[in-house]
Amino acid sequence: MNPARRIIICGGGAIGTAIAYFLSRRGAQPIVIERHEVAGSASGKSGGFLALDWCRGTALDRLARRSFALHAALAEELGNPWGYRRLTTYGGYAREGDDGRGAAGRPWLSAGVTLTGRLGSPQTTALVEPRACTTGMMRAAEALGAELRTGAVTSLLRGPTGALAGVTLDGGEIVEVDDVVIAMGPWSVLATRWLPLPAVYGYKGHSLIFDTGTAIPAEALFLEYQEASGEVLTPELFARADGTTWICAISSTGPLPIDPAAVAPDNGAHARLEAMCRSLSPALASAPIMARQACFRPVTDDGLPLIGAVPGLAGAYVATGHSVWGMLNAPATGEAMSELILDGAAQQVDLAPFAPGRLSPFDPALLRRR
């Protein structure tokens, strides 16, 4: 009997844990290396919104549709430990200080909120609690034989023929492996020191989590909100199955700290969010705030994720750059990567549009100038 394939996965976010789960389900031995904590960055602080067909007409369409179906299947198979729920999703607008016409008889919304139409039904939009989803996926992978280790990969080792032979961890430990997957979100750019990877950037988002109990039904809102200053924000509001409500509206660019634990909110960002929430909803105005969050989501130069084999080194792979659709597309990415690594090609999704070689490699010398 051939020994099980050993695969190092750098990164314990939604993408890395999903890859670990699907690999372990096939009998491989994935080892997730995470230096901060599982779900410690965007995978634990994002909204967790899922949409079946919002990527139609783009290269992401098949990936999203497959992943939407997998979310439902995994929640059922694994006992739904992460609050998967179907939602009705609406669009609308509001202005600060505007009394408006009322929000279609919804007492939890201020009169100044106008809903303009339904964007999704319970058949096409859903939600998960992202931290619970990511940590739950990791636990499911461990139950199938995957391993989680705290640390960081510092270099790749090549054998006499130049093929991948192993990795070196911080502290000097050498781990022999068959494959390595870079899935560190925006911190994947650090791996350009060893691999010819395209640039991955961080785009910061701010969010609040309210304890709203049963005051807000199973709905999601995508709004345009004009502040008194005239600036327009685009808040997103998701009511979760655990009685909390997640809201975001403010994003920014800025330097990505080397340590994920050092991510900090922009000055005044959460205060603006709180003022907006009080204006939008009496239910939010009276609800306690459970968390004030900031995180960086990974983006690439052309807006598409990097999913596939890294040119120039057999056994090296990357899966990152999913931007706002990371939580949605994690299961299908995990499934596709397991097929690519173990079978040589993905079966359910065409990964050609996401091939890392489509973009020029990032110059790692630029990292030293940051």
Side-chain angles (χ1 to χ4, degrees):
M1 179 180 294
N2 292 329
R5 200 175 184 111
R6 300 189 78 204
I7 301 138
I8 287 282
I9 301 169
C10 303
I15 303 300
T17 58
I19 296 170
Y21 173 74
F22 280 96
L23 282 170
S24 60
R25 206 160 78 164
R26 295 278 307 275
Q29 292 185 339
I31 305 169
V32 175
I33 307 294
E34 171 56 51
R35 61 183 172 134
H36 179 36
E37 62 177 343
V38 171
S41 299
S43 295
K45 299 176 182 179
S46 65
F49 181 75
L50 315 175
L52 170 68
D53 55 3
W54 286 26
C55 296
R56 60 186 177 275
T58 76
L60 290 168
D61 186 49
R62 179 58 188 161
L63 184 72
R65 290 176 184 272
R66 177 62 181 167
S67 218
F68 189 83
L70 283 173
H71 268 289
L74 289 170
E76 182 174 355
E77 291 170 14
L78 299 176
N80 193 19
W82 44 71
Y84 175 85
R85 77 186 315 195
R86 303 279 187 159
L87 297 172
T88 303
T89 303
Y90 297 94
Y93 63 88
R95 289 191 302 176
E96 185 175 358
D98 186 2
D99 291 335
R101 300 181 302 167
R106 286 170 173 75
W108 66 273
L109 282 175
S110 301
V113 178
T114 299
L115 300 185
T116 55
R118 193 175 75 168
L119 303 177
S121 70
Q123 289 70 48
T124 62
T125 53
L127 194 68
V128 293
E129 199 289 302
R131 180 177 295 276
C133 186
T134 304
T135 57
M137 196 68 70
M138 187 66 242
R139 285 194 295 270
E142 288 179 291
L144 294 171
E147 182 182 349
L148 173 64
R149 299 182 61 172
T150 300
V153 172
T154 58
S155 65
L156 303 186
L157 303 177
R158 300 176 186 244
T161 64
L164 178 70
V167 301
T168 303
L169 304 182
D170 52 349
E173 181 184 359
I174 294 175
V175 182
E176 294 183 359
V177 295
D178 298 294
D179 309 275
V180 63
V181 182
I182 306 302
M184 300 186 292
W187 288 277
S188 297
V189 71
L190 297 175
T192 60
R193 295 173 297 183
W194 342 302
L195 291 169
L197 291 173
V200 183
Y201 308 98
Y203 192 50
K204 186 190 291 186
H206 300 80
S207 59
L208 299 173
I209 298 178
F210 292 84
D211 183 2
T212 50
T214 60
I216 299 179
E219 294 180 344
L221 298 184
F222 287 78
L223 304 174
E224 287 191 357
Y225 176 80
Q226 187 177 57
E227 295 179 303
S229 65
E231 184 167 350
V232 176
L233 303 178
T234 54
E236 301 173 12
L237 181 151
F238 308 139
R240 293 173 170 168
D242 63 0
T244 64
T245 299
W246 181 95
I247 299 170
C248 75
I250 298 171
S251 296
S252 64
T253 58
L256 180 74
I258 295 297
D259 183 357
V263 175
D266 295 349
N267 289 334
H270 285 136
R272 286 177 68 194
L273 276 177
E274 290 179 40
M276 180 196 72
C277 291
R278 288 192 294 269
S279 176
L280 290 175
S281 169
L284 296 176
S286 61
I289 297 174
M290 300 180 63
R292 295 170 175 84
Q293 304 179 135
C295 63
F296 283 91
R297 55 184 180 267
V299 296
T300 63
D301 280 324
D302 64 2
L304 293 177
L306 306 173
I307 310 174
V310 179
L313 180 59
Y317 301 86
V318 63
T320 189
H322 292 68
S323 188
V324 297
W325 294 120
M327 191 57 59
L328 165 64
N329 287 328
T333 299
E335 179 187 58
M337 287 296 295
S338 71
E339 294 168 345
L340 178 63
I341 294 170
L342 300 179
D343 304 328
Q347 305 300 319
Q348 298 292 334
V349 178
D350 180 12
L351 294 181
F354 316 124
R358 74 183 190 273
L359 298 173
S360 299
F362 178 78
D363 181 359
L366 297 175
L367 291 173
R368 295 190 288 271
R369 302 174 196 170
R370 293 187 174 187

